[in-house]
Structures are given as C-alpha cells and as structure tokens.
Amino acid sequence: MNRGRKTLENRTDRFDILNHSPIGMCVIDDAYNVVFWNRCISDWTNIQKENILGKKIQTIYPHFKQSKYKNSFNKIFGVGKPTNFPIQLHGYIFKEKSPNGKPRVQHTTVTAIPAENAGHYYALFAIEDVTEMTHRIKEYKRIRDLALCENKQRKKAEAKLHKSMIELEQTNQKLIEKNIELDQFNYIVSHDLQAPLRTISSFSKFLQKNSGNILSKKSLKYLGFIISASKRMHLLIENLLSLSKSTRTTLNTSEFAVDNCVDDALQSLQSNIDETKAKIDRQNLLKIKGDKILITQLYQNLIGNALKFVDHKEPQINLTVDYEGSTAVFGVLDNGIGISQEFKNSIFEPFKKADSDIKYEGSGLGLAICKKIIERHKGHIWVESNPGEGTHFKFTLGNIN
C-alpha cells in the first residue's frame, strides 16, 4: 500500500507545475486511474484531489464508460495522438455548472503524454471554460443575423423605392408629354377658331348696322346677343392663347425694371382706369431678370381684376413690394369685393371663379395665366383677402437683383 501511494505521489509531483494553470487539467493512466487533479478543476467540480487521486474516473463520471469516449481514449493510450472533444459532438466531458447554476461551456483537448513505462501513455485533459466566449459568439451571431436581416430589408426597400422612382419618373414624363400635347391642341384650336369667329362677329355687326327696318326689334335683340356672345368668345380665345403662350413659349430673359412693365400694363388698361376713376399708387418695384412681356401681362391681369371686382365705388389700387428676410414679395392691393377663404386656392385654376365673381364678366383664365407666368419665373403666388375687405395678391419671382 505504501509503495502504491509513493508511486502515485511521484506521478502527481511530475504534473505539479500544472496545478496553477487557469484551465482545468487532470491526468489519467491507461487503466483510467486519476493521477493528477489541479486546483482549477477542483474549484469547478468541488472534488478535492485527495478524494479522487488513485480512483478510476468512471466511479465519479460513469459516462466515461460509453464507447464513444473509450474508443477515443484507447487510441490515445495506443498511439499517443491528441484528440479534441468539442461540445457539439461529445457534450460535456465534465458536466459541471458555473456559479450562476448554468452548465459551463467547455472545450476539452486530450493529449497523450509518455508514461514511465515505455510504450504507455497518460491522457492529459485540458478543459477550457469557453462559456463567456460562446455567449459572445452567440450574441455576435445574433447581431450579425439581425444586421443581415435589416440590410436585406433595406436593400429590398431601396429596390422598391428605386422601382417606384422609375415609375414616377415615367409617369411624370408621360404627364409632361400629355400637357405639351394639350397645350399644342389648345393653341391650334384657339388659333383656328379666331377666323370663323371674326366672320360671325363682322357679319353680325354689318347686319345690325345695315338692316334698316327689315329686322324686327326682337330679331335685333337676338342679333345683339350674337354680337355680345362673339365678344365673350373672342376674349376666351385670347385668354386661352395667352395661357398656352405662358407655358409653351421660350422665356425671353433680360434685366429690366418692373416699373416699366407696370407702365405698359397701365397704358393698356388706360380706358378702364379713366372709366372707373381708379386711383393707383406704387412703390419702387426693383429690377429683375425675366421675361418682360410675361411680367407685363401678369400686372395687366392683376390690375385688371382690381379694376373689375369693385362694387359701385372708385378702385383704390396699391402696387406693393415688401421683404420677407431676403425675399422680395410683390403685390397688388385693392379695395374691392374680397374673396372667401374657401376659394383662395381654386381661383388660380383655369375656369374657376369665386361665387362673388359670377356676376362679373370674364373667362376665368386670368389668374391661371398669372400663376403659370410666376411658376415659369420660379416664384409663388397667393392671396390674402376677406369678403368686403379688399384683396391683396402677393407673389415672389426667382431672379431678382
């Protein structure tokens, strides 16, 4: 007995340098006797070395009797080649738990070490606790999978957005082409209608002037209706042509004073100004770069509205320019009938009028033309008004010095 204990002690002393290793280490001989048990594995298993040295490993861990382990160990004892025991294939060699009660994730390598007797080997178990590393790898994989999933969804969303943008661009292009076709149709039809309309108007006036007593009063009344309708039709066609020109013609850009455009507009409206006894004030209206003819038409339409939409009083019109930050805001302010809130957007659409405007003659295209002109100058138009309190049309223009 003393001789066997002495032999075991000698064996244990041989591996004593491994006692301070930070990983669990133990040694068994080819008879499965435990000949070394270091401090780390003692801490993990709560089995002190004096309680296991010299005993067969199967008495503590019966699963060592399983063939999948015995076959591997026999190869080690026979040929001395090291063997790995990954947990995925072999489970836990030493089924111990960490302080939180969960099983330790271990990676076990068994290496053959020559024994004292030639041709015999010890099996050195190196058990590394990879619990934290495994959890980190799992978390990394989770984050990676989540990132891959989000990236896949993002690429899918980007592809969908790209497809939608292409479809939108195609739709916009088709819309532009249709608008061009519509403008061309509008221009051609309006232009071609002028000749027969002039014929109707001219012969109606000739008939009215030279009928003598041939036509009855009732017939003359109907003839007056034809002439009046011809005038309204002529105005509508002129405005349709103006609307078409405001969108389809190339801008003839130059630098000019807005005051010059106002002068031209007022000259065109002089008979209306005299007839209504309108009073028109203005500020210094700056210089801009734009199409002088279109800006003149813009002011002619806005001032013309201010002269028209008054209720039995002399028009008071003020041509304004104010600043919002660095942006110049032009305007035409009047003392007319005003506009209800519900119509402040629709009045800029073709053929749309406010209810209060119905009794006044007009094609319903004037403000639509104004909007097109301003949009072509990269500006914006809006209205500030209340019924009975006058109207202030305001607009910006893109190119201003």
Side-chain angles (χ1 to χ4, degrees), residues 93-270:
I93 298 292
F94 298 94
K95 299 179 181 179
E96 305 303 336
K97 296 182 179 181
S98 58
N100 62 11
K102 294 183 179 180
R104 294 179 185 273
V105 182
Q106 303 167 350
H107 179 79
T108 303
T109 302
V110 183
T111 306
I113 298 177
E116 293 82 0
N117 298 329
H120 291 270
Y121 292 92
Y122 293 121
L124 171 62
F125 288 78
I127 308 106
E128 186 177 3
D129 186 348
V130 292
T131 305
E132 184 177 352
M133 182 186 297
T134 301
H135 290 165
R136 287 180 180 178
I137 291 172
K138 286 182 178 179
E139 180 63 13
Y140 163 76
K141 288 181 178 179
R142 186 190 70 81
I143 295 173
R144 181 202 63 186
D145 292 344
L146 181 61
L148 289 174
C149 182
E150 290 177 349
N151 188 51
K152 184 178 179 181
Q153 292 176 347
R154 180 179 59 81
K155 287 185 177 179
K156 187 176 180 181
E158 286 177 349
K160 188 175 180 180
L161 177 61
H162 181 66
K163 182 181 178 182
S164 298
M165 289 178 67
I166 292 175
E167 291 175 351
L168 180 60
E169 186 176 346
Q170 291 173 344
T171 302
N172 284 339
Q173 185 60 36
K174 289 180 181 178
L175 183 61
I176 290 171
E177 292 172 0
K178 291 296 181 184
N179 283 336
I180 292 174
E181 291 176 4
L182 185 60
D183 285 339
Q184 291 174 341
F185 175 78
N186 178 30
Y187 181 81
I188 293 169
V189 170
S190 300
H191 185 271
D192 291 348
L193 282 175
Q194 282 187 319
L197 184 62
R198 279 195 295 266
T199 301
I200 294 171
S201 179
S202 297
F203 277 98
S204 296
K205 290 178 181 178
F206 177 81
L207 188 60
Q208 186 184 49
K209 182 178 180 181
N210 299 286
S211 63
N213 297 323
I214 298 174
L215 297 178
S216 66
K217 290 184 178 179
K218 193 172 186 180
S219 297
L220 289 172
K221 180 180 179 182
Y222 290 156
L223 193 59
F225 290 158
I226 294 173
I227 295 171
S228 178
S230 297
K231 288 181 179 178
R232 291 195 300 272
M233 187 66 176
H234 177 73
L235 176 62
L236 176 60
I237 290 173
E238 287 294 324
N239 284 330
L240 282 171
L241 287 171
S242 295
L243 180 62
S244 179
K245 288 177 181 177
S246 68
T247 57
R248 67 194 297 270
T249 57
T250 303
L251 287 180
N252 185 15
T253 304
S254 63
E255 183 177 337
F256 56 87
V258 176
D259 283 295
N260 293 340
C261 297
V262 171
D263 291 339
D264 293 341
L266 293 177
Q267 184 176 354
S268 298
L269 296 167
Q270 192 60 51

